[in-house]
Amino acid sequence: MKRLLLLAALPGALLAQTIEGTWQGTLTSPNQNDGIRLAFKIDKNGNVYQGRFYNLANGRQLNLGTITLQGNVVKIAIPGNGMNYEGKFEADGNSITGTLNQGTNPLPLPLMRATSETAWELPPPPTAPKPLPESTKPEFEVATIKPAGVSPGLGLNVTATELRAGSISLAGLITFTYELHLMQVSGLPDWAETEGYEIIAKLPQGGDASDTQIRTMLKNLLESRFGLSFHREKRELSVYTISIGKNGPAGIKMVKNTTNGQRVGARGLGRTVFSGITMAGFAGQLQLRVLDRPVLDQTGLTDRYDFTLNWRPDEFQFPRANAAQRAAAVANGADALPDLFTAVQEQLGLKLDATKAPVDVLVIDKVSKPSEN
């Protein structure tokens, strides 16, 4: 009889186990003297777990992706930085033994349920950017442009005070500024793709310039310093389109970002983490860095999202990478990773199609090498 009573009590104990609450732990690695304090705050919306991840070392916070509790196994996706947590829910109901995984380097991260006495102070929600005053001229306060002397790249870094490019070609500057693929720019001189320029431009102060405002400043820079003039035409070109997948909006696997601005990080060709990016921005990244033709956003989605996309590149992708880099990426993902089309469908719940469509083409009427500073 005593044994029967004991067995009958076990299911009740398991049902009482819940992952809702705040969990905190310290991540340590061989390369760090001090640990990094991390926290997961989890609640439930209907039958679905949701929550937020906090890095107390840098104040960064990200919305969590899929959270599952099956038996005593806990799995948590953090798509905004390409991490996953997997652990074992211990019998006490207040501790989890597990690892934080990013790529192939899992690190131990034991978690404890926080109480009012033990809870760490979590970073407050980020404040919204302060816009520039309406009276601000859409121009850089000052800009220096000079030949870089090295092969041009795509890097453009923006801080609170300046925009900086170590070496960017005129073609790269135009495609970034007007959000076009190079196929959509006609009539550029040969030097526009091969000569790189270092650009340091001071942003107007009094607020945070939006992406649109920065692009307007770059348009004015192209006109005043490169003498750029053009007209637009509609032409039918081979393109890729991004649309919602076969399962509709309910099948979208991306996590809405409500905490951070845009960030794109690559861990090699075909392994990319997107944080705070719109679908238009995602299309722009694909056409700028990955694909050989324009990419059109036809999802109708306007929110910002966090997601990780891992795929096996083919020999036509990443045209600016050298042949050895592309060959290595193809070989490294040959067995473990899907192609880009399958990855977009399976990992994001979207669809990437090749087709033809009329698109804007920027036809260059006049352009010259940049004027002196």
Side-chain angles (χ1 to χ4, degrees):
M1 178 63 71
K2 289 183 178 180
R3 178 176 295 176
L4 291 175
L5 289 173
L6 179 61
L7 292 174
L10 283 175
L14 290 174
L15 288 173
Q17 189 165 266
T18 175
I19 197 174
E20 294 172 70
T22 300
W23 298 84
Q24 55 193 33
T26 301
L27 183 72
T28 58
S29 73
N31 299 324
Q32 293 170 336
N33 295 324
D34 299 321
I36 299 174
R37 294 190 301 167
L38 306 175
F40 298 80
K41 191 172 184 179
I42 300 172
D43 56 27
K44 210 169 188 180
N45 182 8
N47 294 322
V48 178
Y49 290 112
Q50 62 184 14
R52 189 166 290 182
F53 168 81
Y54 298 85
N55 183 329
L56 277 67
N58 58 19
R60 186 169 175 79
Q61 50 189 284
L62 296 164
N63 289 342
L64 298 175
T66 303
I67 305 168
T68 61
L69 174 59
Q70 296 182 339
N72 66 349
V73 177
V74 178
K75 294 183 179 181
I76 305 172
I78 317 167
N81 60 8
M83 289 182 175
N84 291 279
Y85 181 80
E86 183 168 347
K88 175 186 175 184
F89 213 134
E90 300 298 342
D92 61 10
N94 293 313
S95 58
I96 301 173
T97 302
T99 57
L100 189 66
N101 307 291
Q102 186 176 40
T104 58
N105 185 30
L107 295 172
L109 180 61
L111 296 175
M112 295 293 297
R113 189 190 298 273
T115 67
S116 57
E117 293 80 17
T118 64
W120 298 331
E121 183 178 357
L122 300 179
T127 57
K130 177 185 175 183
L132 285 170
E134 292 184 5
S135 58
T136 303
K137 288 185 178 181
E139 299 174 350
F140 297 113
E141 291 188 0
V142 62
T144 61
I145 306 174
K146 58 184 180 181
V150 296
S151 298
L154 292 174
L156 269 173
N157 296 315
V158 180
T159 67
T161 59
E162 69 177 18
L163 175 145
R164 181 183 291 264
S167 177
I168 190 168
S169 67
L170 172 62
L173 196 58
I174 290 174
T175 54
F176 173 83
T177 300
Y178 289 93
E179 299 179 88
L180 301 172
H181 190 275
L182 189 57
M183 287 176 60
Q184 294 171 267
V185 183
S186 174
L188 281 175
D190 292 341
W191 59 264
E193 293 186 52
T194 59
E195 296 186 10
Y197 295 92
E198 180 187 30
I199 300 175
I200 303 174
K202 185 178 179 182
L203 295 170
Q205 296 302 289
D208 300 303
S210 67
D211 292 349
T212 299
Q213 289 171 322
I214 289 172
R215 283 191 162 90
T216 300
M217 295 176 201
L218 286 170
K219 290 174 184 178
N220 289 330
L221 182 76
L222 284 165
E223 180 180 339
S224 63
R225 301 295 290 277
F226 288 86
L228 176 66
S229 64
F230 60 87
H231 65 276
R232 294 180 183 269
E233 296 179 0
K234 280 284 187 183
R235 297 181 184 177
E236 186 172 86
L237 299 178
S238 295
V239 302
Y240 292 104
T241 60
I242 303 174
S243 56
I244 294 177
K246 62 182 179 180
N247 294 323
I252 293 173
K253 300 180 181 180
M254 303 174 294
V255 175
K256 288 184 181 180
N257 182 302
T258 57
T259 61
N260 298 282
Q262 179 174 309
R263 183 173 62 91
V264 180
R267 300 197 300 271
L269 303 186
R271 291 168 170 81
T272 307
V273 177
F274 297 89
S275 182
I277 196 165
T278 63
M279 288 299 95
F282 177 47
Q285 288 292 318
L286 288 180
Q287 73 177 13
L288 182 67
R289 302 178 185 276
V290 179
L291 296 171
D292 60 348
R293 64 188 73 171
V295 182
L296 308 182
D297 168 33
Q298 296 183 345
T299 63
L301 302 174
T302 58
D303 290 310
R304 294 183 178 272
Y305 293 91
D306 292 345
F307 54 91
T308 302
L309 187 62
N310 294 320
W311 77 95
R312 180 186 69 254
D314 63 33
E315 63 272 24
F316 302 107
Q317 294 172 12
F318 296 98
R320 291 179 174 85
N322 62 49
Q325 289 175 315
R326 293 200 301 272
V330 171
N332 290 339
D335 298 323
L337 296 174
D339 61 44
L340 178 59
F341 295 88
T342 304
V344 167
Q345 177 178 315
E346 293 180 348
Q347 298 172 25
L348 308 184
L350 301 175
K351 185 168 62 170
L352 182 66
D353 290 313
T355 185
K356 286 192 174 183
V359 296
D360 280 334
V361 173
L362 191 151
V363 182
I364 305 298
D365 296 321
K366 182 182 177 183
V367 72
S368 59
K369 294 187 179 183
S371 59
E372 294 294 327
N373 298 315

